Amino acid sequence: AFILFEILCEMTKWLVGIDGSSFSYAAAEKAARLAHTGDTIELVGIVNQPLPTSLTMGGAALGFVYVPVEGEPSPYDLPAPDAVEVEKRSREITCAFGKIEEILGDSKQVHLTEKIVPAMSARDALVAIAEHDKVDVIVVGTRGRGAIKRALLGSTADYLCHHAECSVLVVRPEEVEACSGSR
């Protein structure tokens, strides 16, 4: 009985990736509906960080090793992210915050946090943040691409399901339509 009480009282930490799409807002809404009093929902916006020329030409996207080139910045000395992109992501997170607060109302006491992170890869950043912040569940929306498009373009949700150490909740496009239709 004590173990069951301990599990029921355990607080969950949710991480929601926000990119301004209706799919990411639906993911935020799903996290808010599933969260319980005492849980934390962390909204994370990734600001794309450009790669140095030596990395892009060297095929970093294909997993090749970084080879320093004289005169090129290392991946650790990248310039600050574009201020316009940071402002845009901040507005998107504020919008998601509003949606979550509207759902929660006064019924649940859920702690909301936000974070804007410059990164070369949103999916790698979400995995790293989840591990660093000891997140229990990552919640992401999916565009619902077919198998061929997903294979060619990649899928953040698919990547997270295979690489994150915690659980991943993928909000399907049908759920997005249901969320936007209920307003």
Side-chain angles (χ1 to χ4, degrees):
F2 178 72
I3 294 172
L4 179 61
F5 175 75
E6 191 174 331
I7 291 171
L8 290 174
C9 291
E10 191 172 316
M11 291 176 258
T12 302
K13 189 164 190 180
W14 306 81
L15 184 146
V16 182
I18 300 295
D19 66 3
S21 69
S22 58
F23 306 102
S24 68
Y25 293 141
E29 290 180 24
K30 184 67 134 183
R33 293 184 198 290
L34 294 173
H36 294 94
T37 297
D39 287 359
T40 298
I41 298 176
E42 182 175 9
L43 301 176
V44 177
I46 306 297
V47 177
N48 290 331
Q49 183 72 40
L51 293 169
T53 308
S54 58
L55 280 177
T56 54
M57 292 178 68
L62 300 175
F64 294 113
V65 177
Y66 169 70
V67 179
V69 174
E70 191 173 321
E72 287 285 339
S74 83
Y76 308 103
D77 296 326
L78 293 172
D82 181 32
V84 173
E85 283 296 311
V86 171
E87 177 60 30
K88 177 182 171 193
R89 199 63 73 219
S90 179
R91 283 193 310 272
E92 293 164 355
I93 287 178
T94 300
C95 181
F97 240 93
K99 290 177 184 292
I100 289 175
E101 287 176 334
E102 184 179 308
I103 290 167
L104 295 175
D106 295 329
S107 61
K108 298 182 202 175
Q109 297 300 315
V110 174
H111 182 64
L112 297 176
T113 64
E114 62 183 77
K115 184 181 290 191
I116 297 176
V117 179
M120 291 182 236
S121 162
R123 59 193 200 174
D124 289 331
L126 290 171
V127 168
I129 292 165
E131 289 175 15
H132 179 268
D133 294 354
K134 296 180 177 39
V135 167
D136 299 301
V137 182
I138 300 173
V139 186
V140 290
T142 182
R143 288 174 166 73
R145 292 182 179 131
I148 294 172
K149 282 187 181 177
R150 191 171 54 245
L152 292 173
L153 301 173
S155 163
T156 299
D158 187 58
Y159 182 88
L160 292 172
C161 288
H162 288 93
H163 293 88
E165 293 181 4
C166 62
S167 296
V168 177
L169 174 61
V170 179
V171 179
R172 310 275 316 153
E174 300 81 34
E175 294 181 64
V176 173
E177 292 166 11
C179 285
S180 47
S182 65
R183 295 192 183 268

